[in-house]
Amino acid sequence: MNRTPKERLYWLLLLYKNSQIDAETFCNEFHITFDHDLNEHLSDIEYTLFKEISVVSARYSGFEEDHLKYPGVYFTSIDVDKAVKKANLELNLNN
C-alpha cells in the first residue's frame, strides 16, 4: 500500500505504539519521513508534535556507551516512548 508521507507518520506512530517496530526502526523511518519526504501541509499541532518526535528520532541511540561518553547528546528509548505517547494523546490516537 502506498502511503503519503503524512499517512506514513501516523502509521509509524501506530506501529510503535503497538510494539510492532522497535525504537531504532521507528526513529530511522520517522526521521527520514518527516525531515526528508514530507511535502504535505500539517496542522500546527501535527507539526509541533511531529517535529518534537523528529528531533528525538534524529538523536536517538540505543547504545549505552554513547550515553555514557556523550551525556545529554543522545536520546534513549524512554525519550522516544514519551514523545510518541504525548503525540498519541494530543492527536487522540490512543483508541
Side-chain angles (χ1 to χ4, degrees), residues 54-70:
S54 181
V55 168
V56 171
S57 295
R59 303 296 298 175
Y60 167 78
S61 176
F63 299 105
E64 185 177 345
E65 57 269 17
D66 287 343
H67 299 278
L68 294 173
K69 191 171 182 179
Y70 306 105

Side-chain angles (χ1 to χ4, degrees), residues 47-86:
Y47 180 81
T48 300
L49 294 168
F50 291 167
K51 179 67 175 173
E52 183 178 323
I53 294 171
S54 181
V55 168
V56 171
S57 295
R59 303 296 298 175
Y60 167 78
S61 176
F63 299 105
E64 185 177 345
E65 57 269 17
D66 287 343
H67 299 278
L68 294 173
K69 191 171 182 179
Y70 306 105
V73 172
Y74 294 103
F75 290 101
T76 67
S77 59
I78 293 169
D79 300 309
V80 176
D81 291 348
K82 287 178 184 177
V84 169
K85 184 175 182 177
K86 179 181 176 183

Side-chain angles (χ1 to χ4, degrees), residues 21-68:
I21 56 174
D22 61 16
E24 184 173 357
T25 302
F26 172 80
C27 288
N28 288 337
E29 295 297 324
F30 198 94
H31 169 69
I32 289 168
T33 303
F34 182 81
D35 289 320
H36 301 286
D37 297 340
L38 187 65
N39 57 2
E40 299 165 75
H41 175 74
L42 299 175
S43 70
D44 291 342
I45 189 75
E46 286 172 327
Y47 180 81
T48 300
L49 294 168
F50 291 167
K51 179 67 175 173
E52 183 178 323
I53 294 171
S54 181
V55 168
V56 171
S57 295
R59 303 296 298 175
Y60 167 78
S61 176
F63 299 105
E64 185 177 345
E65 57 269 17
D66 287 343
H67 299 278
L68 294 173

